[in-house]
Amino acid sequence: MRIERDETTVCAAMTDILNRIGDKWSVMVVERLDGGTMRFSELLRAVDGVSQRMLTLTLRNLERDGLVIRTVYPEIPPRVEYRLTELGRTLTGPISALWDWAEKHQQAVAEARTAYDRAQAIETAPECKRA
């Protein structure tokens, strides 16, 4: 039996998923884990600019969403490793495509921003009055 979902429900679900996988840190963590299993400290060094707290939250959310597996080894000190799940690996293709697009079009985006900012500055600039 297939349940029909209304557009609002589907939209809410899509927004939730896109917020997770579109998050800056999630994208970077998935991209780093595409290379294989990593320890927390390795990820912290590999993901430029992320704080320990933000990395912890990101990893927890990715684990909750079924994209990352966390494995704790009963050693002293405990060793914790992270790796992508099968579902997480399916995300690496779209992320790679996004990275490639950003790399290819970064100059065009920068030029468009500059032109837009210039136009906005002209529109909002007060008119000069002659004395």
Side-chain angles (χ1 to χ4, degrees):
M1 178 178 172
R2 184 180 167 100
I3 299 172
E4 292 295 322
R5 296 191 293 178
D6 63 46
E7 190 173 321
T8 303
T9 304
V10 172
C11 187
M14 290 301 298
T15 299
D16 180 52
I17 290 171
L18 290 174
N19 281 337
R20 168 75 61 240
I21 63 174
D23 170 271
K24 170 184 174 179
W25 301 120
S26 295
V27 168
M28 294 177 83
V29 167
V30 169
E31 189 269 333
R32 293 294 186 239
L33 288 176
D34 188 30
T37 301
M38 294 180 79
R39 295 178 73 168
F40 183 88
S41 58
E42 293 173 312
L43 276 168
L44 190 59
R45 286 189 302 272
V47 179
D48 190 39
V50 72
S51 68
Q52 185 171 342
R53 181 180 185 286
M54 186 53 69
L55 181 58
T56 298
L57 291 172
T58 300
L59 287 165
R60 281 184 189 158
N61 286 326
L62 290 171
E63 183 180 11
R64 180 176 179 246
D65 291 344
L67 302 172
V68 168
I69 292 175
R70 176 180 186 261
T71 305
V72 179
Y73 295 93
E75 302 170 352
I76 298 177
R79 179 171 46 113
V80 180
E81 294 181 340
Y82 297 88
R83 65 181 170 86
L84 293 177
T85 63
E86 287 297 320
L87 180 61
R89 279 196 283 282
T90 67
L91 190 53
T92 61
I95 287 175
S96 292
L98 185 59
W99 279 103
D100 293 344
W101 184 91
E103 184 177 40
K104 182 177 180 181
H105 298 287
Q106 66 182 342
Q107 184 64 37
V109 170
E111 290 168 4
R113 288 177 179 171
T114 299
Y116 178 88
D117 292 346
R118 225 180 266 132
Q120 290 299 306
I122 291 170
E123 285 181 22
T124 60
E127 289 187 37
C128 295
K129 296 183 180 181
R130 292 187 179 176

